[in-house]
Structures are given as structure tokens and as C-alpha cells.
Amino acid sequence: MQKKMAYSFPDEVLEHVFSFIQSDKDRNAVSMVCKSWYDIERWCRRKIFVGNCYAVNPRIVIRRFPEVRSIELKGKPHFADFNLVPDGWGGYVFPWILEMARAYPWLEEIRLKRMVVTDESLELIAKSFKNFKVLVLFSCEGFSTDGLAAIAASCKNLRELDLRDSEVDDLSGHWLSHFPETYTSLVSLNISCLGSDEVSFSALERLVGRCPNLRTLLLNRAVPLDKIANILRRAPQLVEFGTGTYTAELRPDVFSYLAGAFSSCKELRSLSGFWEAVPAYIPAIYSVCSRLTSLNLSFATIQNPDLIKLVSLCPSLQRLLVLDYIEDSGLEALASSCKDLQELRVFPSDPFGVEPNVSLTEQGLVAISWGCPKLESVLYFCRQMSNAALVTIAQNRPNLTRFRLCIIDPKTVDYLTHEPLDVGFGAIVEHCKDLRRLSLSGLLTDRVFDYIGTYAKKLEMLSVAFAGDSDLGLHHVLSGCESLRKLEIRDCPFGDKALLANAAKLETMRSLWMSSCSVSFGACKLLGQKMPRLNVEVIDERGHPDSRPESCPVDKLYIYRSVAGPRVDMPPFVWTKDEDSSLRLS
Amino acid sequence: MCMELQLGLALPSDPLIIPIKMFDLNSCGYEPGEGLGSNTLSRPLLKLGPSDININNSSSSSPSRSGGSRKRGFDEVQRFDENRIFPKTLPLLLSTNQPNDEHDPNGLEDNSSSAIFKNDGEGLVGWPPVKTWRKKLLLQIPKGGAVNNNRVAAMAENGCRGRASNSTYVKVKMEGIAIARKIDLSVHHSFETLTSTLMGLFDISDENWKGFKLTYQDIEGDWLLAEDVPWRTFIRSSKCLKLIRSRG
């Protein structure tokens, strides 16, 4: 009976139907219907997403999906962004490139996040994939502009080169000249992370001028203000543009030339860059403000009233990244002019200062919650908060999906009542039923985790620091948050008991990070032994954990599920259950 | 320490039902019926304090290692020295004189929940959670005056990890090797000793050393040849080191 049904649709028809199904989740569901669907689906899957490069290995992926055109890999855990993962921990992409060079000669897209990419890897990409189109290196490191030169020289069909937030050894600006004169297919170029002062402006201008499909161009700080106009005039079709250093002495001719260049870009919807921006040149962008949907001023040194004036001119804004120079008054202005705002990120201009240098408090965020009905994503650094404010925000904005609050001093209390902020965050998780991502801060007891475990049923990622009283807190989260995929914890008094009691939960998650907590090496070994499909990595640079008492807490712990077994590229400071100090290889 | 634990090994398909055999919260004062309306949570189950952890002292801490020297992934100073006095505190509370303090330059002196943490000086590693490159750029913003160069040098830079301004550890990369090492510049007083340390670290012989040049990145972000400057200039301004193969 089953067989008959399978033959009633020829494979080609099913393949065609499946080609309309793009999302990974749906594809995975399709592949589980029956064996023949599994087989058909695996041959026609073109796009793979691997959220943790160590959860699987290249061979397994290639064996199951032989015709992949696009792959996305993520390496280091999120806390690597804040220097919590030691150098040399892992996340090397080379083994993947090596295998894919053999198996996927038609690979078109590689997107990597937090991985170590060497020039060797880039050179291998350049020569192995004839139809290579997209390279995104998000927060990667380990390569230089020499590797980029190889990409530029060989990838004739390259459309997108995006180096956002990566650490690149910038040896020279001449890599840009390696794009041949015949190369015209560039659509998106993001070199904003490059540091070098040397950029070949003529090469850049020529490149921009001969690529008519260029939509996104994010320059680095080396490009001075007076070069922008020429670049814009060669690419009036740009949709997304990032300036270089936006400072110069005010000269009327330079200003008007620049303003004219901006106004000729009718498609421009997103602006960023603005390093060291001076107020005098901000009006040059006024002509595009009414159409802007995204504005990143998080490196701009401008302050109020220039900042307020600017954002007030952008009624279509959906996304704003800004420094806390905007202050409460600026956020109030934003709340009244930008009704389409969906995402707001406010960064600290002086994160290490002891005293506040600007007048930005919880009031600004409260004002936004009143005024912006579409607000769903928040990242907010501030120095004071109250439960009352959080409750108000929660009640105003139940449509929040991402809420990350960083009160700069750890364990800061509600400044009005001097109580912990449990109730405030409790209100957030209770009202915002679709909350997927949450970062906590301030003084928090086990109670907040009780709220989170009870209400945050759609929560996928939780970041915790300096919070909680006992294992009960961790237990609430692990036992209550059904959708939890990533949990990262630092400096909390969570230990063995909650971890071991919820061992099975860990297999349903992508990963768990715990640093400066109270987990013992013994518990880690036990967990690793009992749960073969978890990799339990103890990251400890102080030497073998057995050289300390059994109950001594490990420094850092990274647990993730994997079908690839223990990894083969562990550095000396990563210890697993297989540790036997006498057998430890150098 | 013997932990006879029966782990709750529920089937992954049913994540909610995790039989907690060994860790019965009900027996330890937690009332599941206590709603969120209650103002007080029951006493925390386990308050980890110093009495819960065996604090080891130096005499029993020497490990019996076999197999001679162990090559570390980084700084040799990190190698566990049998003769080193083991700090009489939890490892989380290493004093700032230890080379391991990069994790915690100020030391979380009191790990108990009742301590209100005071953020003095340069703060903790990775806190506030601002990305490395963003921190660097923010610190270069003139705040009503000259840029604080020391902080720029001390804080996160391209490739260098954030650290307290009194720390003298710098990252050393060798061309062609993905893994960087770290060394403490303050123990060196001349290029001679630095050279021999680097040769040992990267396993470079005398002959091979001639094929390398030592470069460093200074406070302003420029890469310079170490041999071009006097030692004092080098020691004061270098933030990162890199060994490159000398061409030709």
C-alpha cells in the first residue's frame, strides 16, 4: 500500500514540490514523513544550517546531503564575543572547506559565524568552487587581506563579500585591486571591520563604478569623508551605505558636493558608519532621512541636540542603533516621531566609567515602550532600572520577541525600592508570550528563574550573569523552558545538582555555557560518561582539573549535543571525561 | 568524592518529564505549590559557601604527573608548578598577582549572593558585554578632552584581549600558526631574554630564528619592527607581537 502511494508521485514531482519549502524546520519535517521522502528530500536539499560546527562533522553532512549549494556554520559560543573563550579553543573551518572542496564543487555560498578562518581556507575556497557567489564572515578571525585577495582574484561570480565584525590582519589595501577589471557582479561589500589606513581609493572607486548591481556598500574608517561623494556618485542605486570616518573641517564646497551625492541616491534606505561624526556634516544626509528604515549611529560621536534633530527627521525608521548620547530626551523624541520602530539598540559610550556620563535612564526605554507599537527587539545598556519600569514596558509591549537589558553594574538593585529586579523581569516573561531571547542583569534571586521557568515557554536563548542564589534557579530554567536552545551563564552560584538532575534536557538544547559558576570536574566527568551524545568540555587554563580538589569548581564549562562524538582538535586547556592526566598528550 | 547519582534520563522526546531521582527538590524545602504571588521564596536549597568546598593547601596540591614536560597551548608560565604555593582560596578568587588573573583581574572576592559587586577599576573580563572591537572604538572617542591612551592600550584591541591596565601580558602570534600564545613582558628587560623566550615558545632553533622578524603593534595600531626601536620604547608601547618570516 505504502509503495503504491510513493509511486503515484514520481520523484521529480515531489522534488519540485519540495523546492518550494525553504525553511530548515519544514525540510526536516518533510524528511521524517517516510523513507522515500527522506531520500528524495536529501538529494534536493540545497541549503544547510549548522548551528554548532561541532554538533556534526563534514563527512556526515556530505553523506546525507550530496547536492548542497549553500552552507552556514557557527563556531564559538556567543560569550567568545566578550573574550570569555580563550584563543585556540576551536571553531576551525578548514576541515570543512577541505571536505566540501571535494564533495561540493558547485557550492555557491558560505556563511560563517565566530569561526577561525585562515588564508589557506580562503585560498582553497577561491580555487575549489567555480560558481562561488556569497562569502559572509561574521565575527570571524585568523585571516588576512591576502586571503581576501585570493577570493577577489578568482571568484568571477562573486556577489557578496561581507566581513562584518571580523578581525582581519589588514596587510594592505591592495587586495581590492585583485578584482579583475572584467569583474562586474558585486552586489554587496562590507569591509567596515578593516582597520588599515591604507585603502586604494582608485581601486575602490573603479570597482564601485563597474558594478551596476551594487546594493550594499559598507566602507571602513580608512575612507575619509571627502571621498564619499565620488563613490556615491558612481553608485546612485545603493540601498545600504556605510560611511568611513565622518569627520572633516567644514568646507562649504565639500559639504554641498556630499549633500548632492546623497540626495541622488533615491534608493538609499540604510545608513551606518559615521565614525567620529561631526555635527557639521550631518545635515548632508538630511535628504535621505525621510526614506531611511535603518540607521546605525553606534559609532557616531554626535550628541544632543544634533542627535535628536537627526532621528526626528526619520519617520520611517524601523531599526536604530545608537549610543547613549541620545539620552532620555532623545528617546522621547524618537518615541513620538518613529512609529514604525521595530528594533532599538542603545550602547554605552563610557562602559567602564564609574559615574554616568549621560542622562540615560530607564525612562527612555519606558517612553519608547509607550510610543512605538511595533517595537519587538531591544538591546539597552543603562545604569539604573526599576521593577515598575519593567512592568510598564512589559504591559505596553507584549509583542517583544527579543529583550536584552544590561544594567552596567552587576547586581544593581531597583533604585526606587532597593529590591531585586525579579518582579520586573517576571513581568516581561509573563506578558511577552512570544519572547525568544532574553538577557538579564541587575540583582536577581532564584525567584526570577522561577518566573522564567513558568512563563517563558517560547524562550530560545537566555543569558544570565551575576544572578541567582542556588541550584534552584538553574533548575527552574532547565525544567521549565520548553523551547530553550541556548543557555549561557557567568558568575552565578549554580552547581552540580541542577545540572545533573536535568541532564536529559541538555540533549534537547544546542548548548550550555557556564563560567565562574560552581560546577565540579567530577560532575562534568559524570555527565560526560552518562550522556554519550553530549560533549562536555571543561575549559580551564589553570592546568589539569585533577590537580585541584575534586569539588573545586571548573573555570568554564561548555556542553553541547553532538552526533560527531568528541572533537579531534581540542587544545591543551580543554578537558573532557576522557581525561587521564598521565595519558594527556601534549 | 563519590557521587552515586541516578540521573534522570528521560527520553528526549519528552523533555518535561525528567524523573529527578537523586535530586528531590520536594524534600529540601521547596514548595511547588508556592505561587508567584507569594512574597518570599523558601530558603534557597544549596547555598554554596566556603564550608562546602574543600579548600586545599599547597602540600596536597602537587599533582603526580607522569610524562615529563607538557607543552601548553600558550604561555609557559601557566604550567602548573609543583612548588608554587596553591592559593588558599577558591580558584575563582585568585589574587591579581597570579598570571591566571586575566579571567578576573579584580577578583570576584565574594562569590556569595549577598555581596553587592562594586565595579572598581577596569572591571571584569567580558563585562559589560560590549563586543571587543566596539569597546576599542568607544575608548578612542574623545570625551571632553584628550583620549586616554592608557585605557586604549589596555582595553580590547584588534586581536588583543581586554585586560587591566596594570597587566603586562601580550598576545604573540607566529605567522602561519593559528593559535596565539601569551607572554608576560614585565619579566623581560631586554630583547635577548624576550628572544630566547619566544624561541622556546614556538620551538624555533637558532638557525631558524634568523628567518624571522619580530614585529609589534603599538598603541596607535601601527605594526612596527621591534629591531628598529630601543627596548624601552618597545616595552612601553607594544600591545601585540607577531613573528613574521623575513622575506628575501
Side-chain angles (χ1 to χ4, degrees), chain A residues 476-530:
Chain A
H476 286 313
V477 170
L478 290 177
S479 56
C481 296
E482 294 163 12
S483 311
L484 197 63
R485 291 189 299 114
K486 290 180 278 185
L487 179 57
E488 48 186 25
I489 301 171
R490 64 164 292 176
D491 294 280
C492 296
F494 301 146
D496 299 346
K497 292 192 160 51
L499 197 59
L500 294 170
N502 292 281
K505 171 72 174 174
L506 299 177
E507 261 189 30
T508 69
M509 292 164 54
R510 182 186 297 176
S511 65
L512 167 65
W513 169 279
M514 290 177 75
S515 57
S516 303
C517 295
S518 308
V519 181
S520 71
F521 187 52
C524 296
K525 276 196 291 197
L526 189 61
L527 194 60
Q529 280 153 16
K530 296 282 183 190

Short mmCIF file of all heavy atoms in Angstrom, two decimals, chain A residues 476-530:
data_model
loop_
_atom_site.label_atom_id
_atom_site.label_comp_id
_atom_site.label_asym_id
_atom_site.label_seq_id
_atom_site.Cartn_x
_atom_site.Cartn_y
_atom_site.Cartn_z
N HIS A 476 14.97 25.69 37.76
CA HIS A 476 13.73 26.29 37.23
C HIS A 476 13.82 26.47 35.73
O HIS A 476 12.88 26.17 34.98
CB HIS A 476 13.49 27.66 37.86
CG HIS A 476 13.01 27.62 39.27
ND1 HIS A 476 12.00 26.78 39.70
CD2 HIS A 476 13.40 28.32 40.36
CE1 HIS A 476 11.80 26.97 40.99
NE2 HIS A 476 12.62 27.90 41.41
N VAL A 477 14.96 26.97 35.28
CA VAL A 477 15.11 27.26 33.86
C VAL A 477 15.17 25.98 33.05
O VAL A 477 14.46 25.80 32.05
CB VAL A 477 16.38 28.10 33.61
CG1 VAL A 477 16.67 28.21 32.12
CG2 VAL A 477 16.23 29.48 34.22
N LEU A 478 15.99 25.05 33.49
CA LEU A 478 16.16 23.82 32.70
C LEU A 478 14.90 22.98 32.68
O LEU A 478 14.62 22.29 31.70
CB LEU A 478 17.35 23.01 33.24
CG LEU A 478 18.73 23.62 32.98
CD1 LEU A 478 19.82 22.78 33.62
CD2 LEU A 478 18.99 23.76 31.48
N SER A 479 14.15 23.03 33.76
CA SER A 479 12.96 22.18 33.78
C SER A 479 11.75 22.87 33.21
O SER A 479 10.78 22.21 32.82
CB SER A 479 12.68 21.71 35.22
OG SER A 479 12.55 22.83 36.07
N GLY A 480 11.76 24.20 33.15
CA GLY A 480 10.54 24.90 32.73
C GLY A 480 10.55 25.43 31.31
O GLY A 480 9.48 25.51 30.67
N CYS A 481 11.70 25.80 30.79
CA CYS A 481 11.72 26.47 29.49
C CYS A 481 11.74 25.45 28.36
O CYS A 481 12.79 24.96 27.97
CB CYS A 481 12.94 27.39 29.39
SG CYS A 481 12.90 28.72 30.59
N GLU A 482 10.57 25.20 27.83
CA GLU A 482 10.42 24.11 26.86
C GLU A 482 11.16 24.33 25.58
O GLU A 482 11.58 23.37 24.93
CB GLU A 482 8.93 23.95 26.53
CG GLU A 482 8.12 23.47 27.69
CD GLU A 482 6.63 23.70 27.47
OE1 GLU A 482 6.22 24.02 26.34
OE2 GLU A 482 5.89 23.57 28.45
N SER A 483 11.30 25.60 25.17
CA SER A 483 11.88 25.86 23.85
C SER A 483 13.35 26.23 23.93
O SER A 483 13.94 26.62 22.93
CB SER A 483 11.13 27.02 23.17
OG SER A 483 9.75 26.81 23.23
N LEU A 484 13.93 26.11 25.11
CA LEU A 484 15.29 26.59 25.31
C LEU A 484 16.30 25.88 24.41
O LEU A 484 16.34 24.65 24.37
CB LEU A 484 15.68 26.40 26.78
CG LEU A 484 16.89 27.20 27.27
CD1 LEU A 484 16.62 28.69 27.19
CD2 LEU A 484 17.23 26.80 28.70
N ARG A 485 17.08 26.66 23.69
CA ARG A 485 18.12 26.08 22.85
C ARG A 485 19.51 26.46 23.32
O ARG A 485 20.44 25.67 23.27
CB ARG A 485 17.95 26.52 21.39
CG ARG A 485 16.73 25.92 20.72
CD ARG A 485 16.69 26.19 19.22
NE ARG A 485 16.65 27.60 18.91
CZ ARG A 485 17.64 28.27 18.29
NH1 ARG A 485 18.72 27.64 17.91
NH2 ARG A 485 17.53 29.55 18.04
N LYS A 486 19.66 27.72 23.75
CA LYS A 486 20.97 28.16 24.17
C LYS A 486 20.87 28.83 25.53
O LYS A 486 20.06 29.73 25.72
CB LYS A 486 21.55 29.15 23.16
CG LYS A 486 21.92 28.51 21.84
CD LYS A 486 22.47 29.52 20.88
CE LYS A 486 21.37 30.28 20.17
NZ LYS A 486 21.94 31.19 19.14
N LEU A 487 21.72 28.39 26.43
CA LEU A 487 21.75 28.97 27.76
C LEU A 487 23.19 29.32 28.07
O LEU A 487 24.08 28.48 27.95
CB LEU A 487 21.20 27.97 28.79
CG LEU A 487 21.18 28.39 30.26
CD1 LEU A 487 20.39 29.67 30.47
CD2 LEU A 487 20.59 27.27 31.12
N GLU A 488 23.42 30.58 28.43
CA GLU A 488 24.77 30.99 28.76
C GLU A 488 24.76 31.72 30.09
O GLU A 488 23.95 32.61 30.31
CB GLU A 488 25.37 31.86 27.66
CG GLU A 488 24.48 32.97 27.17
CD GLU A 488 25.06 33.72 25.99
OE1 GLU A 488 25.87 33.17 25.23
OE2 GLU A 488 24.66 34.90 25.82
N ILE A 489 25.66 31.27 30.95
CA ILE A 489 25.65 31.73 32.34
C ILE A 489 27.06 32.07 32.75
O ILE A 489 27.99 31.32 32.48
CB ILE A 489 25.13 30.59 33.26
CG1 ILE A 489 23.72 30.16 32.84
CG2 ILE A 489 25.14 31.02 34.72
CD1 ILE A 489 23.24 28.91 33.55
N ARG A 490 27.20 33.20 33.45
CA ARG A 490 28.51 33.50 34.03
C ARG A 490 28.35 34.04 35.44
O ARG A 490 27.39 34.74 35.73
CB ARG A 490 29.28 34.49 33.16
CG ARG A 490 28.63 35.86 33.05
CD ARG A 490 29.58 36.88 32.51
NE ARG A 490 30.64 37.18 33.44
CZ ARG A 490 31.66 37.99 33.17
NH1 ARG A 490 31.72 38.58 32.00
NH2 ARG A 490 32.60 38.23 34.07
N ASP A 491 29.29 33.65 36.29
CA ASP A 491 29.32 34.20 37.65
C ASP A 491 28.01 34.03 38.41
O ASP A 491 27.47 35.00 38.96
CB ASP A 491 29.72 35.68 37.58
CG ASP A 491 31.15 35.85 37.09
OD1 ASP A 491 32.06 35.67 37.89
OD2 ASP A 491 31.33 36.10 35.87
N CYS A 492 27.49 32.82 38.41
CA CYS A 492 26.29 32.52 39.19
C CYS A 492 26.56 31.32 40.08
O CYS A 492 27.33 30.44 39.71
CB CYS A 492 25.11 32.19 38.25
SG CYS A 492 24.62 33.56 37.21
N PRO A 493 25.91 31.27 41.24
CA PRO A 493 26.17 30.17 42.18
C PRO A 493 25.42 28.88 41.83
O PRO A 493 24.76 28.28 42.67
CB PRO A 493 25.69 30.74 43.52
CG PRO A 493 24.61 31.69 43.14
CD PRO A 493 24.99 32.28 41.82
N PHE A 494 25.53 28.48 40.57
CA PHE A 494 24.87 27.24 40.14
C PHE A 494 25.90 26.14 40.11
O PHE A 494 27.02 26.34 39.64
CB PHE A 494 24.26 27.39 38.75
CG PHE A 494 23.24 28.48 38.62
CD1 PHE A 494 23.11 29.20 37.45
CD2 PHE A 494 22.38 28.78 39.68
CE1 PHE A 494 22.16 30.20 37.32
CE2 PHE A 494 21.43 29.79 39.57
CZ PHE A 494 21.33 30.50 38.39
N GLY A 495 25.51 24.97 40.62
CA GLY A 495 26.49 23.90 40.75
C GLY A 495 26.06 22.61 40.11
O GLY A 495 25.35 22.58 39.11
N ASP A 496 26.50 21.52 40.74
CA ASP A 496 26.33 20.19 40.14
C ASP A 496 24.89 19.72 40.12
O ASP A 496 24.45 19.08 39.16
CB ASP A 496 27.15 19.16 40.93
CG ASP A 496 28.63 19.49 40.91
OD1 ASP A 496 29.04 20.34 40.09
OD2 ASP A 496 29.36 18.90 41.72
N LYS A 497 24.18 19.99 41.18
CA LYS A 497 22.92 19.28 41.36
C LYS A 497 21.90 19.58 40.27
O LYS A 497 21.31 18.67 39.69
CB LYS A 497 22.35 19.59 42.74
CG LYS A 497 23.20 18.99 43.85
CD LYS A 497 22.49 19.03 45.19
CE LYS A 497 23.05 18.04 46.20
NZ LYS A 497 24.48 18.08 46.38
N ALA A 498 21.70 20.85 39.98
CA ALA A 498 20.69 21.18 38.97
C ALA A 498 21.13 20.66 37.61
O ALA A 498 20.30 20.21 36.80
CB ALA A 498 20.49 22.69 38.91
N LEU A 499 22.41 20.72 37.36
CA LEU A 499 22.93 20.27 36.07
C LEU A 499 22.69 18.79 35.88
O LEU A 499 22.17 18.34 34.84
CB LEU A 499 24.43 20.56 36.04
CG LEU A 499 25.13 20.56 34.69
CD1 LEU A 499 24.52 21.60 33.79
CD2 LEU A 499 26.62 20.85 34.90
N LEU A 500 23.03 18.01 36.88
CA LEU A 500 22.90 16.55 36.76
C LEU A 500 21.44 16.13 36.77
O LEU A 500 21.05 15.17 36.10
CB LEU A 500 23.68 15.87 37.88
CG LEU A 500 25.19 16.07 37.78
CD1 LEU A 500 25.90 15.58 39.03
CD2 LEU A 500 25.74 15.37 36.56
N ALA A 501 20.62 16.86 37.52
CA ALA A 501 19.20 16.49 37.57
C ALA A 501 18.51 16.74 36.24
O ALA A 501 17.48 16.14 35.95
CB ALA A 501 18.50 17.29 38.67
N ASN A 502 19.07 17.62 35.45
CA ASN A 502 18.43 17.97 34.17
C ASN A 502 19.28 17.55 33.00
O ASN A 502 19.26 18.19 31.94
CB ASN A 502 18.19 19.49 34.12
CG ASN A 502 17.13 19.92 35.11
OD1 ASN A 502 15.93 19.77 34.87
ND2 ASN A 502 17.56 20.45 36.25
N ALA A 503 20.03 16.48 33.19
CA ALA A 503 20.96 16.05 32.15
C ALA A 503 20.27 15.81 30.82
O ALA A 503 20.77 16.19 29.76
CB ALA A 503 21.66 14.77 32.61
N ALA A 504 19.10 15.21 30.89
CA ALA A 504 18.41 14.87 29.63
C ALA A 504 18.01 16.12 28.86
O ALA A 504 17.97 16.14 27.64
CB ALA A 504 17.19 14.02 29.92
N LYS A 505 17.72 17.17 29.59
CA LYS A 505 17.33 18.42 28.94
C LYS A 505 18.42 18.94 28.02
O LYS A 505 18.16 19.53 26.97
CB LYS A 505 17.04 19.47 30.03
CG LYS A 505 16.82 20.88 29.53
CD LYS A 505 15.50 21.02 28.83
CE LYS A 505 15.23 22.47 28.47
NZ LYS A 505 14.02 22.59 27.66
N LEU A 506 19.66 18.70 28.44
CA LEU A 506 20.78 19.24 27.68
C LEU A 506 20.83 18.67 26.27
O LEU A 506 21.34 19.32 25.36
CB LEU A 506 22.09 18.96 28.43
CG LEU A 506 22.18 19.61 29.81
CD1 LEU A 506 23.46 19.23 30.51
CD2 LEU A 506 22.06 21.12 29.72
N GLU A 507 20.32 17.47 26.09
CA GLU A 507 20.32 16.90 24.74
C GLU A 507 19.27 17.54 23.84
O GLU A 507 19.29 17.34 22.62
CB GLU A 507 20.04 15.40 24.81
CG GLU A 507 21.30 14.56 24.72
CD GLU A 507 20.98 13.09 24.57
OE1 GLU A 507 19.92 12.76 24.00
OE2 GLU A 507 21.79 12.28 25.05
N THR A 508 18.35 18.28 24.43
CA THR A 508 17.32 18.94 23.62
C THR A 508 17.74 20.36 23.24
O THR A 508 17.02 21.06 22.55
CB THR A 508 15.99 19.03 24.39
OG1 THR A 508 16.15 19.97 25.46
CG2 THR A 508 15.59 17.69 24.94
N MET A 509 18.90 20.76 23.75
CA MET A 509 19.38 22.12 23.51
C MET A 509 20.59 22.08 22.60
O MET A 509 21.27 21.06 22.50
CB MET A 509 19.82 22.75 24.84
CG MET A 509 18.67 23.01 25.80
SD MET A 509 19.28 23.30 27.48
CE MET A 509 20.44 24.60 27.25
N ARG A 510 20.90 23.22 22.01
CA ARG A 510 22.11 23.30 21.22
C ARG A 510 23.32 23.31 22.16
O ARG A 510 24.27 22.57 21.96
CB ARG A 510 22.14 24.56 20.35
CG ARG A 510 23.41 24.62 19.49
CD ARG A 510 23.54 25.92 18.74
NE ARG A 510 22.46 26.13 17.79
CZ ARG A 510 22.32 27.24 17.07
NH1 ARG A 510 23.17 28.23 17.22
NH2 ARG A 510 21.32 27.38 16.24
N SER A 511 23.27 24.19 23.16
CA SER A 511 24.45 24.29 24.02
C SER A 511 24.15 24.97 25.35
O SER A 511 23.16 25.69 25.49
CB SER A 511 25.55 25.10 23.31
OG SER A 511 25.14 26.43 23.12
N LEU A 512 25.06 24.71 26.29
CA LEU A 512 25.03 25.36 27.60
C LEU A 512 26.43 25.84 27.91
O LEU A 512 27.39 25.07 27.80
CB LEU A 512 24.57 24.36 28.68
CG LEU A 512 24.79 24.80 30.14
CD1 LEU A 512 23.94 26.01 30.48
CD2 LEU A 512 24.45 23.66 31.10
N TRP A 513 26.53 27.10 28.30
CA TRP A 513 27.81 27.66 28.72
C TRP A 513 27.70 28.09 30.16
O TRP A 513 26.75 28.77 30.52
CB TRP A 513 28.17 28.87 27.85
CG TRP A 513 29.34 29.67 28.37
CD1 TRP A 513 29.32 30.61 29.36
CD2 TRP A 513 30.69 29.57 27.96
NE1 TRP A 513 30.57 31.11 29.58
CE2 TRP A 513 31.44 30.49 28.73
CE3 TRP A 513 31.36 28.79 27.01
CZ2 TRP A 513 32.82 30.66 28.58
CZ3 TRP A 513 32.73 28.97 26.84
CH2 TRP A 513 33.45 29.88 27.63
N MET A 514 28.68 27.67 30.97
CA MET A 514 28.71 28.14 32.36
C MET A 514 30.14 28.50 32.70
O MET A 514 31.03 27.65 32.64
CB MET A 514 28.23 27.04 33.31
CG MET A 514 26.75 26.75 33.20
SD MET A 514 26.22 25.39 34.26
CE MET A 514 26.23 26.18 35.87
N SER A 515 30.37 29.75 33.09
CA SER A 515 31.72 30.12 33.52
C SER A 515 31.64 30.82 34.87
O SER A 515 30.67 31.50 35.17
CB SER A 515 32.40 31.00 32.47
OG SER A 515 31.65 32.16 32.20
N SER A 516 32.71 30.60 35.64
CA SER A 516 32.78 31.16 37.00
C SER A 516 31.54 30.80 37.81
O SER A 516 31.00 31.63 38.54
CB SER A 516 32.95 32.68 36.96
OG SER A 516 34.11 33.02 36.22
N CYS A 517 31.09 29.56 37.66
CA CYS A 517 29.99 29.05 38.48
C CYS A 517 30.56 28.02 39.46
O CYS A 517 31.75 28.09 39.78
CB CYS A 517 28.90 28.45 37.58
SG CYS A 517 28.11 29.68 36.52
N SER A 518 29.73 27.12 39.90
CA SER A 518 30.20 26.20 40.95
C SER A 518 30.08 24.74 40.56
O SER A 518 29.71 23.89 41.36
CB SER A 518 29.41 26.45 42.23
OG SER A 518 29.46 27.82 42.54
N VAL A 519 30.40 24.45 39.32
CA VAL A 519 30.28 23.07 38.85
C VAL A 519 31.62 22.37 39.04
O VAL A 519 32.67 22.93 38.70
CB VAL A 519 29.87 23.03 37.36
CG1 VAL A 519 29.72 21.59 36.87
CG2 VAL A 519 28.58 23.80 37.14
N SER A 520 31.60 21.17 39.56
CA SER A 520 32.85 20.46 39.83
C SER A 520 33.26 19.61 38.63
O SER A 520 32.43 19.24 37.80
CB SER A 520 32.67 19.54 41.04
OG SER A 520 31.85 18.44 40.69
N PHE A 521 34.54 19.31 38.58
CA PHE A 521 35.03 18.47 37.48
C PHE A 521 34.42 17.08 37.57
O PHE A 521 34.14 16.44 36.55
CB PHE A 521 36.56 18.41 37.51
CG PHE A 521 37.16 17.72 36.32
CD1 PHE A 521 36.82 18.11 35.03
CD2 PHE A 521 38.07 16.68 36.47
CE1 PHE A 521 37.37 17.47 33.92
CE2 PHE A 521 38.63 16.04 35.38
CZ PHE A 521 38.28 16.43 34.09
N GLY A 522 34.23 16.62 38.79
CA GLY A 522 33.61 15.31 38.97
C GLY A 522 32.25 15.24 38.29
O GLY A 522 31.92 14.27 37.60
N ALA A 523 31.45 16.28 38.48
CA ALA A 523 30.13 16.29 37.87
C ALA A 523 30.25 16.33 36.36
O ALA A 523 29.46 15.68 35.65
CB ALA A 523 29.34 17.51 38.36
N CYS A 524 31.22 17.06 35.86
CA CYS A 524 31.40 17.13 34.41
C CYS A 524 31.77 15.77 33.84
O CYS A 524 31.23 15.35 32.80
CB CYS A 524 32.50 18.14 34.06
SG CYS A 524 32.09 19.81 34.54
N LYS A 525 32.65 15.09 34.52
CA LYS A 525 33.05 13.75 34.04
C LYS A 525 31.86 12.82 34.05
O LYS A 525 31.62 12.06 33.11
CB LYS A 525 34.18 13.19 34.92
CG LYS A 525 35.56 13.68 34.52
CD LYS A 525 36.65 12.85 35.13
CE LYS A 525 36.72 13.05 36.63
NZ LYS A 525 38.02 12.58 37.18
N LEU A 526 31.10 12.90 35.14
CA LEU A 526 29.93 12.04 35.26
C LEU A 526 28.93 12.31 34.15
O LEU A 526 28.41 11.40 33.50
CB LEU A 526 29.29 12.27 36.63
CG LEU A 526 28.18 11.32 37.04
CD1 LEU A 526 28.72 9.90 37.10
CD2 LEU A 526 27.62 11.72 38.40
N LEU A 527 28.69 13.57 33.91
CA LEU A 527 27.76 13.96 32.86
C LEU A 527 28.24 13.44 31.52
O LEU A 527 27.48 12.87 30.73
CB LEU A 527 27.63 15.48 32.84
CG LEU A 527 26.48 16.09 32.05
CD1 LEU A 527 25.15 15.61 32.57
CD2 LEU A 527 26.55 17.61 32.10
N GLY A 528 29.51 13.62 31.27
CA GLY A 528 30.06 13.15 30.00
C GLY A 528 29.96 11.65 29.85
O GLY A 528 29.68 11.13 28.77
N GLN A 529 30.13 10.94 30.97
CA GLN A 529 30.05 9.48 30.90
C GLN A 529 28.63 8.99 30.69
O GLN A 529 28.37 8.07 29.93
CB GLN A 529 30.61 8.87 32.19
CG GLN A 529 32.13 8.81 32.20
CD GLN A 529 32.69 8.85 33.61
OE1 GLN A 529 31.96 8.63 34.58
NE2 GLN A 529 33.97 9.12 33.73
N LYS A 530 27.69 9.64 31.38
CA LYS A 530 26.31 9.16 31.30
C LYS A 530 25.61 9.57 30.00
O LYS A 530 24.62 8.98 29.60
CB LYS A 530 25.49 9.71 32.47
CG LYS A 530 25.94 9.23 33.84
CD LYS A 530 25.46 7.84 34.10
CE LYS A 530 25.85 7.40 35.50
NZ LYS A 530 25.62 5.99 35.72
#
